[in-house]
Amino acid sequence: MASEPVARAVAEEVARWGAMRQTGVSLRYMMEFGARPTERTLLLAAQFLHKELPIRIARRALDLESLPFGLSAKPAILKVRDWYMDSFRDIRSFPEVRNRDDELAFTEMIKMIRVRHTNVVPTIALGVQQLKKDLGGSKAFPPGIHEIHQFLDRFYMSRIGIRMLIGQHVALHDPDPEPGVIGLINTKLSPLTVARIASEDARAICMREYGSAPDVDIYGDPDFTFPYVTPHLHLMMFELVKNSLRAVQERYMNSDNHAPPVRIIVADGAEDVTIKISDEGGGIPRSGLSRIFTYLYSTADNPPELDGHNEGVTMAGYGYGIPISRLYARYFGGDLQIISMEGYGTDAYLHLSRLGDSEEPLP
């Protein structure tokens, strides 16, 4: 009986915090603040996160309760909402951060929160799949279904922001960071190196799925570096290369012709760093191009079940790789464009803004 008043009190507190205004943090501030982490700067950062994270987490919990078409009631969505409620309670019940011991304990707690939310994307995808099944599939979508896409864009962009704030704070505790690395930000990131590692990872998945994989050729200046967040670039490159490998492999797997390589070109422009991923996998029909950036369509016949940590490890999953990659690019002011030639192949253009100059608050 006591649980109902407690649940009501938590719900009221979530509503109160969700109505508060969140504070944006610019990348330049993150880089300057984290350049030489001290006990004092880490304490100040923890105190900021102690107040900021409940606002952002509460907003997402409230969003999950008001989704259209009954999506909020799907078991997978309820599970995600519970994760956000648990994380909100964990932070709000943590006492004020006053000293180094408090700060270290707080850091361990938010590290666990980050782990708890690892499978948010595929779990929400499962909820969307459940809704699609109820609605009779993609062809039976009712008017207004685009609201779900808009919600997911906002939700996932906010998730990137929350994970960036937590990840940056946790990473600043590394006692022996690599030269030029400030938390999650590598001020001397080599896009060719990241492209090579992401390509090897994607080829390994392709090998596992099909027994073979096309080659990946990478072109660009091997000495070129720029400031960026390595895990973000790896995620985007992995998803795009994985899609290209799959398209080429499926087009040529029963052919006598040798599968052509996927080509990656890195260009250092005055405004952006642009990475092009080109394949000869047959392309995408023009009628289907508008769908590749939505969360409501997937090329997978049977999307993978969740097994704990399977985010992004199958060749054809929930179809979220491209829209999520575009959000990661846009988070720092970049973008992702897909140009396709049906009957030949697809070019993906990943435009990355140069980090460190912007004083604009991040989402």
Side-chain angles (χ1 to χ4, degrees):
M1 292 294 289
S3 63
E4 274 189 44
V6 170
R8 196 179 310 118
V10 171
E12 288 171 0
E13 192 175 10
V14 167
R16 184 166 64 84
W17 279 81
M20 294 181 189
R21 187 175 178 179
Q22 72 178 51
T23 304
V25 181
S26 74
L27 199 74
R28 174 178 281 186
Y29 180 79
M30 272 192 202
M31 290 175 72
E32 290 175 354
F33 193 82
R36 295 177 191 83
T38 63
E39 280 189 29
R40 183 176 177 278
T41 57
L42 291 172
L43 181 63
L44 289 171
Q47 289 168 344
F48 168 74
L49 292 176
H50 192 246
K51 292 182 174 65
E52 180 66 17
L53 289 175
I55 297 172
R56 296 184 180 222
I57 290 170
R59 285 183 167 193
R60 302 292 72 81
L62 292 170
D63 281 348
L64 288 165
E65 291 179 348
S66 54
L67 296 174
F69 303 106
L71 183 56
S72 293
K74 298 299 172 198
I77 304 300
L78 291 172
K79 180 189 282 191
V80 174
R81 191 205 64 188
D82 287 346
W83 290 339
Y84 277 83
M85 295 294 279
D86 289 346
S87 296
F88 177 83
R89 274 193 295 262
D90 287 348
I91 299 174
R92 289 294 301 133
S93 62
F94 196 93
E96 196 174 340
V97 182
R98 297 175 181 271
N99 54 45
R100 176 171 166 75
D101 287 343
D102 292 347
E103 189 273 323
L104 290 173
F106 178 79
T107 301
E108 284 302 311
M109 182 197 63
I110 62 173
K111 193 190 294 186
M112 291 306 298
I113 286 174
R114 199 166 187 266
V115 172
R116 174 187 289 150
H117 290 251
T118 297
N119 274 328
V120 161
V121 174
T123 307
I124 287 185
L126 191 61
V128 173
Q129 290 290 333
Q130 291 165 350
L131 177 65
K132 281 170 66 173
K133 200 171 179 182
D134 291 350
L135 293 174
S138 305
K139 292 176 182 173
F141 283 162
I145 197 76
H146 66 278
E147 287 178 38
I148 291 176
H149 170 76
Q150 292 168 345
F151 157 77
L152 290 173
D153 252 359
R154 289 194 311 271
F155 186 90
Y156 290 139
M157 184 66 92
S158 172
R159 179 178 184 269
I160 293 169
I162 291 170
R163 292 181 78 78
M164 181 70 196
L165 287 175
I166 294 176
Q168 179 70 4
H169 183 74
V170 170
L172 287 175
H173 288 74
D174 184 349
D176 188 26
E178 291 180 35
V181 173
I182 303 171
L184 292 179
I185 305 158
N186 186 346
T187 62
K188 291 180 166 47
L189 181 144
S190 164
L192 263 71
T193 299
V194 176
R196 180 178 51 77
I197 295 169
S199 298
E200 288 170 359
D201 292 344
R203 288 190 80 246
I205 301 297
C206 190
M207 283 278 195
R208 190 184 73 190
E209 199 99 342
Y210 298 104
S212 63
D215 292 332
V216 179
D217 296 339
I218 304 173
Y219 304 90
D221 180 357
D223 298 323
F224 168 62
T225 64
F226 76 117
Y228 210 77
V229 176
T230 305
H232 287 197
L233 183 55
H234 181 277
L235 180 146
M236 293 183 280
M237 293 295 301
F238 173 78
E239 288 294 342
L240 293 169
V241 172
K242 184 185 72 169
N243 284 350
S244 287
L245 290 173
R246 176 179 169 234
V248 173
Q249 185 67 24
E250 293 194 347
R251 189 182 190 201
Y252 284 88
M253 62 194 305
N254 296 318
S255 169
D256 293 334
N257 296 326
H258 183 69
V262 172
R263 293 179 175 85
I264 300 174
I265 302 169
V266 178
D268 171 20
E271 186 174 318
D272 288 337
V273 174
T274 302
I275 302 174
K276 181 170 82 165
I277 298 98
S278 296
D279 68 60
E280 296 175 38
I284 303 163
R286 193 158 52 95
S287 61
L289 270 176
S290 61
R291 296 179 177 182
I292 63 175
F293 285 111
T294 78
Y295 304 96
L296 300 168
Y297 300 88
S298 172
T299 53
D301 294 327
N302 297 296
E305 292 298 317
L306 296 176
D307 60 4
H309 295 281
N310 70 344
E311 200 168 347
V313 294
T314 56
M315 290 305 282
Y318 288 100
Y320 280 31
I322 289 179
I324 290 284
S325 294
R326 184 168 69 170
L327 288 183
Y328 271 96
R330 288 180 170 179
Y331 181 74
F332 289 126
D335 208 351
L336 171 63
Q337 294 175 307
I338 306 288
I339 298 172
S340 184
M341 182 185 289
E342 188 184 8
Y344 182 77
T346 301
D347 291 344
Y349 290 87
L350 190 56
H351 303 284
L352 306 172
S353 292
R354 296 175 177 279
L355 306 189
D357 298 328
S358 174
E359 295 185 16
E360 287 290 312
L362 296 168

